Short mmCIF file of all heavy atoms in Angstrom, two decimals:
data_model
loop_
_atom_site.label_atom_id
_atom_site.label_comp_id
_atom_site.label_asym_id
_atom_site.label_seq_id
_atom_site.Cartn_x
_atom_site.Cartn_y
_atom_site.Cartn_z
N LYS R 141 -8.88 -20.64 4.75
CA LYS R 141 -9.13 -20.95 3.37
C LYS R 141 -9.41 -19.75 2.67
O LYS R 141 -10.34 -18.97 2.93
CB LYS R 141 -10.31 -21.97 3.38
CG LYS R 141 -10.69 -22.43 1.96
CD LYS R 141 -11.91 -23.33 2.01
CE LYS R 141 -12.26 -23.85 0.73
NZ LYS R 141 -12.99 -22.96 -0.16
N PRO R 142 -8.70 -19.53 1.45
CA PRO R 142 -8.98 -18.40 0.62
C PRO R 142 -10.47 -18.42 0.11
O PRO R 142 -11.15 -19.53 0.07
CB PRO R 142 -7.98 -18.51 -0.55
CG PRO R 142 -6.90 -19.36 0.02
CD PRO R 142 -7.56 -20.28 0.99
N SER R 143 -11.02 -17.28 -0.31
CA SER R 143 -12.29 -17.16 -0.84
C SER R 143 -13.38 -17.36 0.17
O SER R 143 -14.53 -17.55 -0.13
CB SER R 143 -12.60 -18.17 -2.05
OG SER R 143 -11.68 -17.76 -3.06
N SER R 144 -13.04 -17.45 1.44
CA SER R 144 -14.03 -17.52 2.45
C SER R 144 -14.21 -16.21 3.12
O SER R 144 -13.41 -15.29 3.07
CB SER R 144 -13.64 -18.55 3.54
OG SER R 144 -12.49 -18.06 4.29
N TYR R 145 -15.41 -16.06 3.83
CA TYR R 145 -15.65 -14.82 4.44
C TYR R 145 -14.60 -14.60 5.60
O TYR R 145 -14.15 -13.49 5.83
CB TYR R 145 -17.07 -14.84 5.05
CG TYR R 145 -17.45 -13.58 5.77
CD1 TYR R 145 -17.59 -12.37 5.06
CD2 TYR R 145 -17.73 -13.49 7.11
CE1 TYR R 145 -17.89 -11.15 5.69
CE2 TYR R 145 -18.07 -12.34 7.84
CZ TYR R 145 -18.15 -11.16 7.04
OH TYR R 145 -18.50 -9.97 7.64
N ALA R 146 -14.15 -15.70 6.29
CA ALA R 146 -13.19 -15.63 7.32
C ALA R 146 -11.85 -15.16 6.83
O ALA R 146 -11.09 -14.42 7.54
CB ALA R 146 -13.03 -16.99 7.95
N TYR R 147 -11.60 -15.40 5.46
CA TYR R 147 -10.31 -14.89 4.88
C TYR R 147 -10.37 -13.40 4.79
O TYR R 147 -9.33 -12.78 5.15
CB TYR R 147 -10.19 -15.55 3.51
CG TYR R 147 -8.87 -15.43 2.86
CD1 TYR R 147 -7.76 -16.15 3.31
CD2 TYR R 147 -8.64 -14.58 1.75
CE1 TYR R 147 -6.54 -16.16 2.69
CE2 TYR R 147 -7.44 -14.53 1.14
CZ TYR R 147 -6.33 -15.29 1.63
OH TYR R 147 -5.15 -15.23 1.00
N ARG R 148 -11.38 -12.86 4.35
CA ARG R 148 -11.55 -11.40 4.36
C ARG R 148 -11.54 -10.78 5.72
O ARG R 148 -10.99 -9.73 5.94
CB ARG R 148 -12.88 -11.02 3.65
CG ARG R 148 -12.82 -11.33 2.13
CD ARG R 148 -14.16 -11.13 1.50
NE ARG R 148 -14.11 -11.52 0.10
CZ ARG R 148 -14.14 -10.62 -0.92
NH1 ARG R 148 -14.43 -9.37 -0.68
NH2 ARG R 148 -14.16 -11.05 -2.14
N LEU R 149 -12.20 -11.39 6.67
CA LEU R 149 -12.15 -10.89 8.05
C LEU R 149 -10.71 -10.99 8.61
O LEU R 149 -10.36 -10.09 9.30
CB LEU R 149 -13.10 -11.74 8.97
CG LEU R 149 -14.64 -11.39 8.84
CD1 LEU R 149 -15.37 -12.33 9.75
CD2 LEU R 149 -14.96 -9.96 9.14
N GLY R 150 -10.07 -12.00 8.33
CA GLY R 150 -8.65 -12.15 8.79
C GLY R 150 -7.77 -11.10 8.26
O GLY R 150 -6.94 -10.52 8.94
N PHE R 151 -8.07 -10.69 7.03
CA PHE R 151 -7.25 -9.60 6.37
C PHE R 151 -7.46 -8.26 7.15
O PHE R 151 -6.50 -7.61 7.50
CB PHE R 151 -7.67 -9.47 4.88
CG PHE R 151 -6.95 -8.41 4.16
CD1 PHE R 151 -5.68 -8.60 3.73
CD2 PHE R 151 -7.59 -7.17 3.83
CE1 PHE R 151 -4.96 -7.69 2.93
CE2 PHE R 151 -6.92 -6.21 3.17
CZ PHE R 151 -5.59 -6.42 2.67
N THR R 152 -8.71 -7.92 7.29
CA THR R 152 -8.98 -6.63 8.10
C THR R 152 -8.68 -6.77 9.54
O THR R 152 -8.15 -5.71 10.07
CB THR R 152 -10.43 -6.26 7.96
OG1 THR R 152 -11.37 -7.26 8.42
CG2 THR R 152 -10.79 -5.95 6.52
N ASP R 153 -8.75 -7.89 10.17
CA ASP R 153 -8.30 -8.06 11.56
C ASP R 153 -6.87 -7.75 11.79
O ASP R 153 -6.46 -7.18 12.74
CB ASP R 153 -8.57 -9.57 12.03
CG ASP R 153 -10.09 -9.79 12.31
OD1 ASP R 153 -10.86 -8.91 12.29
OD2 ASP R 153 -10.40 -11.02 12.53
N LEU R 154 -6.05 -8.09 10.77
CA LEU R 154 -4.68 -7.84 10.84
C LEU R 154 -4.37 -6.33 10.96
O LEU R 154 -3.59 -5.92 11.78
CB LEU R 154 -3.90 -8.39 9.62
CG LEU R 154 -2.47 -8.25 9.51
CD1 LEU R 154 -1.70 -8.82 10.68
CD2 LEU R 154 -1.96 -8.91 8.22
N PHE R 155 -4.96 -5.59 10.12
CA PHE R 155 -4.84 -4.12 10.17
C PHE R 155 -5.39 -3.58 11.55
O PHE R 155 -4.80 -2.63 12.04
CB PHE R 155 -5.56 -3.36 8.98
CG PHE R 155 -4.80 -3.73 7.72
CD1 PHE R 155 -5.27 -4.73 6.90
CD2 PHE R 155 -3.56 -3.03 7.36
CE1 PHE R 155 -4.62 -5.06 5.74
CE2 PHE R 155 -2.88 -3.38 6.26
CZ PHE R 155 -3.42 -4.40 5.41
N GLU R 156 -6.47 -4.12 12.03
CA GLU R 156 -6.99 -3.74 13.22
C GLU R 156 -5.98 -3.94 14.44
O GLU R 156 -5.84 -3.16 15.36
CB GLU R 156 -8.33 -4.42 13.56
CG GLU R 156 -9.14 -3.85 14.69
CD GLU R 156 -10.59 -4.29 14.73
OE1 GLU R 156 -10.91 -5.22 14.00
OE2 GLU R 156 -11.36 -3.76 15.49
N ASP R 157 -5.37 -5.11 14.40
CA ASP R 157 -4.34 -5.45 15.45
C ASP R 157 -3.15 -4.49 15.35
O ASP R 157 -2.61 -4.06 16.37
CB ASP R 157 -3.86 -6.89 15.38
CG ASP R 157 -4.86 -7.85 15.83
OD1 ASP R 157 -5.89 -7.43 16.38
OD2 ASP R 157 -4.69 -9.14 15.65
N ILE R 158 -2.74 -4.09 14.17
CA ILE R 158 -1.63 -3.23 13.95
C ILE R 158 -2.05 -1.83 14.54
O ILE R 158 -1.24 -1.21 15.23
CB ILE R 158 -1.33 -3.09 12.45
CG1 ILE R 158 -0.62 -4.43 11.98
CG2 ILE R 158 -0.30 -1.90 12.25
CD1 ILE R 158 -0.41 -4.64 10.49
N ALA R 159 -3.24 -1.43 14.26
CA ALA R 159 -3.67 -0.09 14.80
C ALA R 159 -3.78 -0.16 16.30
O ALA R 159 -3.42 0.83 17.00
CB ALA R 159 -5.01 0.35 14.16
N ALA R 160 -4.30 -1.31 16.86
CA ALA R 160 -4.43 -1.37 18.34
C ALA R 160 -2.98 -1.37 19.02
O ALA R 160 -2.89 -0.95 20.14
CB ALA R 160 -5.08 -2.76 18.66
N ALA R 161 -1.98 -1.71 18.28
CA ALA R 161 -0.64 -1.66 18.86
C ALA R 161 -0.03 -0.32 18.66
O ALA R 161 1.13 -0.04 19.03
CB ALA R 161 0.28 -2.71 18.08
N GLY R 162 -0.77 0.69 18.15
CA GLY R 162 -0.32 2.05 18.03
C GLY R 162 0.49 2.34 16.73
O GLY R 162 1.15 3.32 16.62
N TRP R 163 0.27 1.52 15.75
CA TRP R 163 0.89 1.69 14.43
C TRP R 163 -0.12 1.98 13.37
O TRP R 163 -1.28 1.68 13.60
CB TRP R 163 1.64 0.42 14.07
CG TRP R 163 2.90 0.23 14.96
CD1 TRP R 163 2.92 -0.17 16.25
CD2 TRP R 163 4.27 0.51 14.55
NE1 TRP R 163 4.22 -0.24 16.64
CE2 TRP R 163 5.13 0.18 15.66
CE3 TRP R 163 4.90 0.94 13.41
CZ2 TRP R 163 6.45 0.41 15.64
CZ3 TRP R 163 6.23 1.12 13.34
CH2 TRP R 163 7.01 0.84 14.52
N ARG R 164 0.34 2.50 12.28
CA ARG R 164 -0.53 2.70 11.06
C ARG R 164 0.11 2.16 9.94
O ARG R 164 1.35 1.88 9.90
CB ARG R 164 -0.70 4.27 10.92
CG ARG R 164 -1.54 4.82 12.00
CD ARG R 164 -1.84 6.35 11.85
NE ARG R 164 -2.20 6.70 10.50
CZ ARG R 164 -1.42 7.59 9.71
NH1 ARG R 164 -0.44 8.24 10.29
NH2 ARG R 164 -1.87 7.85 8.51
N VAL R 165 -0.68 1.99 8.80
CA VAL R 165 -0.08 1.35 7.61
C VAL R 165 -0.44 2.39 6.46
O VAL R 165 -1.57 2.89 6.29
CB VAL R 165 -0.75 0.10 7.34
CG1 VAL R 165 -0.36 -0.46 5.87
CG2 VAL R 165 -0.42 -1.01 8.31
N LEU R 166 0.59 2.70 5.64
CA LEU R 166 0.45 3.37 4.39
C LEU R 166 0.46 2.24 3.34
O LEU R 166 1.44 1.66 3.01
CB LEU R 166 1.56 4.38 4.10
CG LEU R 166 1.59 4.94 2.69
CD1 LEU R 166 0.32 5.66 2.26
CD2 LEU R 166 2.82 5.86 2.53
N LEU R 167 -0.79 2.00 2.80
CA LEU R 167 -0.89 0.96 1.79
C LEU R 167 -0.99 1.59 0.41
O LEU R 167 -2.06 2.27 0.06
CB LEU R 167 -2.11 0.01 2.06
CG LEU R 167 -2.50 -1.04 1.05
CD1 LEU R 167 -1.36 -2.05 0.89
CD2 LEU R 167 -3.81 -1.77 1.53
N THR R 168 0.01 1.36 -0.44
CA THR R 168 0.00 1.87 -1.77
C THR R 168 -0.25 0.79 -2.78
O THR R 168 0.51 -0.25 -2.80
CB THR R 168 1.37 2.63 -2.08
OG1 THR R 168 1.57 3.63 -1.10
CG2 THR R 168 1.34 3.17 -3.46
N LEU R 169 -1.22 0.92 -3.60
CA LEU R 169 -1.52 -0.05 -4.63
C LEU R 169 -1.27 0.59 -5.98
O LEU R 169 -2.05 1.42 -6.51
CB LEU R 169 -3.06 -0.55 -4.55
CG LEU R 169 -3.32 -1.30 -3.28
CD1 LEU R 169 -4.87 -1.74 -3.29
CD2 LEU R 169 -2.52 -2.52 -3.13
N ASP R 170 -0.17 0.18 -6.55
CA ASP R 170 0.33 0.75 -7.81
C ASP R 170 -0.48 0.03 -8.99
O ASP R 170 -0.78 -1.23 -8.73
CB ASP R 170 1.78 0.65 -7.96
CG ASP R 170 2.44 1.62 -9.01
OD1 ASP R 170 1.63 2.32 -9.69
OD2 ASP R 170 3.62 1.60 -9.11
N GLU R 171 -0.49 0.59 -10.16
CA GLU R 171 -1.19 -0.03 -11.31
C GLU R 171 -2.57 -0.42 -10.96
O GLU R 171 -3.03 -1.54 -11.27
CB GLU R 171 -0.38 -1.27 -11.79
CG GLU R 171 1.07 -0.91 -12.23
CD GLU R 171 1.15 0.07 -13.41
OE1 GLU R 171 0.17 0.27 -14.17
OE2 GLU R 171 2.22 0.70 -13.62
N PHE R 172 -3.29 0.46 -10.29
CA PHE R 172 -4.74 0.18 -9.85
C PHE R 172 -5.62 -0.04 -11.02
O PHE R 172 -6.72 -0.54 -10.82
CB PHE R 172 -5.17 1.25 -8.89
CG PHE R 172 -6.47 0.87 -8.11
CD1 PHE R 172 -6.29 -0.02 -7.07
CD2 PHE R 172 -7.68 1.47 -8.40
CE1 PHE R 172 -7.45 -0.41 -6.36
CE2 PHE R 172 -8.81 1.05 -7.75
CZ PHE R 172 -8.64 0.14 -6.65
N ASP R 173 -5.19 0.25 -12.18
CA ASP R 173 -6.08 0.00 -13.35
C ASP R 173 -6.39 -1.46 -13.45
O ASP R 173 -7.42 -1.87 -14.00
CB ASP R 173 -5.32 0.38 -14.67
CG ASP R 173 -4.93 1.89 -14.74
OD1 ASP R 173 -5.94 2.61 -14.76
OD2 ASP R 173 -3.79 2.21 -14.64
N SER R 174 -5.61 -2.34 -12.91
CA SER R 174 -5.78 -3.80 -12.93
C SER R 174 -6.89 -4.15 -12.09
O SER R 174 -7.42 -5.29 -12.15
CB SER R 174 -4.52 -4.48 -12.38
OG SER R 174 -3.43 -4.19 -13.23
N ALA R 175 -7.39 -3.30 -11.27
CA ALA R 175 -8.58 -3.60 -10.30
C ALA R 175 -9.79 -4.11 -11.11
O ALA R 175 -10.52 -4.93 -10.69
CB ALA R 175 -8.95 -2.36 -9.51
N ARG R 176 -9.94 -3.62 -12.37
CA ARG R 176 -11.08 -4.02 -13.10
C ARG R 176 -11.11 -5.50 -13.41
O ARG R 176 -12.15 -6.09 -13.66
CB ARG R 176 -11.24 -3.15 -14.41
CG ARG R 176 -10.15 -3.43 -15.44
CD ARG R 176 -10.31 -2.58 -16.67
NE ARG R 176 -9.30 -2.73 -17.57
CZ ARG R 176 -8.11 -2.18 -17.54
NH1 ARG R 176 -7.86 -1.28 -16.63
NH2 ARG R 176 -7.19 -2.45 -18.39
N ASP R 177 -9.90 -6.12 -13.41
CA ASP R 177 -9.75 -7.52 -13.73
C ASP R 177 -9.70 -8.34 -12.42
O ASP R 177 -10.06 -9.52 -12.45
CB ASP R 177 -8.46 -7.82 -14.51
CG ASP R 177 -8.49 -7.16 -15.90
OD1 ASP R 177 -9.65 -7.10 -16.45
OD2 ASP R 177 -7.43 -6.63 -16.22
N ILE R 178 -9.28 -7.72 -11.25
CA ILE R 178 -9.13 -8.46 -10.05
C ILE R 178 -10.31 -8.36 -9.15
O ILE R 178 -10.65 -9.35 -8.48
CB ILE R 178 -7.80 -7.78 -9.37
CG1 ILE R 178 -6.64 -8.06 -10.20
CG2 ILE R 178 -7.69 -8.38 -7.90
CD1 ILE R 178 -5.39 -7.21 -9.72
N PHE R 179 -10.95 -7.17 -9.04
CA PHE R 179 -12.15 -7.02 -8.14
C PHE R 179 -13.31 -7.44 -9.01
O PHE R 179 -13.77 -6.78 -9.94
CB PHE R 179 -12.29 -5.47 -7.82
CG PHE R 179 -11.25 -5.02 -6.92
CD1 PHE R 179 -9.87 -5.16 -7.14
CD2 PHE R 179 -11.55 -4.30 -5.79
CE1 PHE R 179 -8.86 -4.66 -6.29
CE2 PHE R 179 -10.58 -3.78 -4.91
CZ PHE R 179 -9.21 -3.97 -5.19
N THR R 180 -13.91 -8.54 -8.57
CA THR R 180 -15.05 -9.08 -9.33
C THR R 180 -16.43 -8.72 -8.77
O THR R 180 -17.39 -9.05 -9.39
CB THR R 180 -14.93 -10.66 -9.44
OG1 THR R 180 -14.86 -11.20 -8.13
CG2 THR R 180 -13.63 -11.01 -10.25
N SER R 181 -16.40 -8.13 -7.64
CA SER R 181 -17.72 -7.81 -7.01
C SER R 181 -17.64 -6.50 -6.23
O SER R 181 -16.51 -6.06 -5.85
CB SER R 181 -18.23 -8.94 -6.04
OG SER R 181 -17.40 -8.93 -4.88
N THR R 182 -18.74 -5.91 -5.90
CA THR R 182 -18.73 -4.71 -5.08
C THR R 182 -18.14 -4.96 -3.75
O THR R 182 -17.43 -4.02 -3.19
CB THR R 182 -20.26 -4.24 -4.95
OG1 THR R 182 -20.83 -4.11 -6.22
CG2 THR R 182 -20.26 -2.93 -4.15
N ALA R 183 -18.36 -6.21 -3.22
CA ALA R 183 -17.72 -6.50 -1.92
C ALA R 183 -16.21 -6.38 -1.89
O ALA R 183 -15.57 -6.02 -0.87
CB ALA R 183 -18.06 -7.90 -1.45
#
Side-chain angles (χ1 to χ4, degrees):
K141 181 180 183 280
S143 298
S144 68
Y145 183 65
Y147 194 72
R148 290 170 183 250
L149 282 179
F151 181 78
T152 56
D153 286 350
L154 179 57
F155 291 98
E156 193 168 9
D157 285 353
I158 291 168
W163 289 76
R164 294 184 38 241
V165 173
L166 168 58
L167 176 57
T168 303
L169 296 178
D170 200 356
E171 301 296 344
F172 195 72
D173 300 294
S174 300
R176 70 180 177 275
D177 300 322
I178 298 169
F179 291 52
T180 58
S181 71
T182 305

